[in-house]
Amino acid sequence: MNWNVIYIEEAKKDFEKLDGSQQKLIRKAIEKTSKNPLSRNNGGYGIPLGNKGGHDLTGLFEVKLRGTGLRAIYKLIQTATEMLIIVVGVREDEEAYKIAFKRVNEHNL
């Protein structure tokens, strides 16, 4: 069963800023992850974040495309089997985590 993938508005803009080949790669990774976005500890594809760069991102996961530097940070809305995309793009670890922390707080996630 695939989870519904929903993007917050800022993550949509992140995605649109990527070039076509990057969009294709991240779209494919998110699509694969949506089949089982649970933590790797539970047999899924998600990498749990926890505390990153002084930001508490507990409850968030990431998908990382190592060779490209692309990542997507998401939160699972398990009651509705939805996957909410919070950050997309090529960013250094600390920057991506800082943005995710800010957006989670702005959207009360």
Side-chain angles (χ1 to χ4, degrees), residues 38-48 61:
L38 300 174
S39 167
R40 286 183 175 174
N41 302 334
N42 294 324
Y45 296 110
I47 301 169
F61 300 88

Side-chain angles (χ1 to χ4, degrees), residues 2-91:
N2 285 1
W3 288 50
N4 294 325
V5 176
I6 301 166
Y7 291 75
I8 65 171
E9 196 59 40
E10 296 92 334
K12 284 181 190 175
K13 291 176 184 175
D14 292 343
F15 181 81
E16 291 167 359
K17 289 178 186 175
L18 299 174
D19 68 36
S21 64
Q22 291 174 320
Q23 287 181 358
K24 185 176 180 180
L25 287 170
I26 200 73
R27 185 181 300 118
K28 187 175 179 180
I30 290 170
E31 185 177 302
K32 176 182 175 184
T33 302
S34 74
K35 293 177 183 171
N36 190 352
L38 300 174
S39 167
R40 286 183 175 174
N41 302 334
N42 294 324
Y45 296 110
I47 301 169
L49 291 179
N51 191 354
K52 295 288 187 179
H55 301 288
D56 184 10
L57 301 176
T58 302
L60 301 183
F61 300 88
E62 77 176 331
V63 177
K64 198 181 215 180
L65 285 83
R66 294 174 197 246
T68 64
L70 287 166
R71 74 182 69 238
I73 297 175
Y74 63 94
K75 178 177 181 131
L76 296 178
I77 305 170
Q78 294 192 30
T79 57
T81 62
E82 294 178 339
M83 191 174 137
L84 182 64
I85 306 296
I86 298 166
V87 178
V88 174
V90 180
R91 294 190 172 85

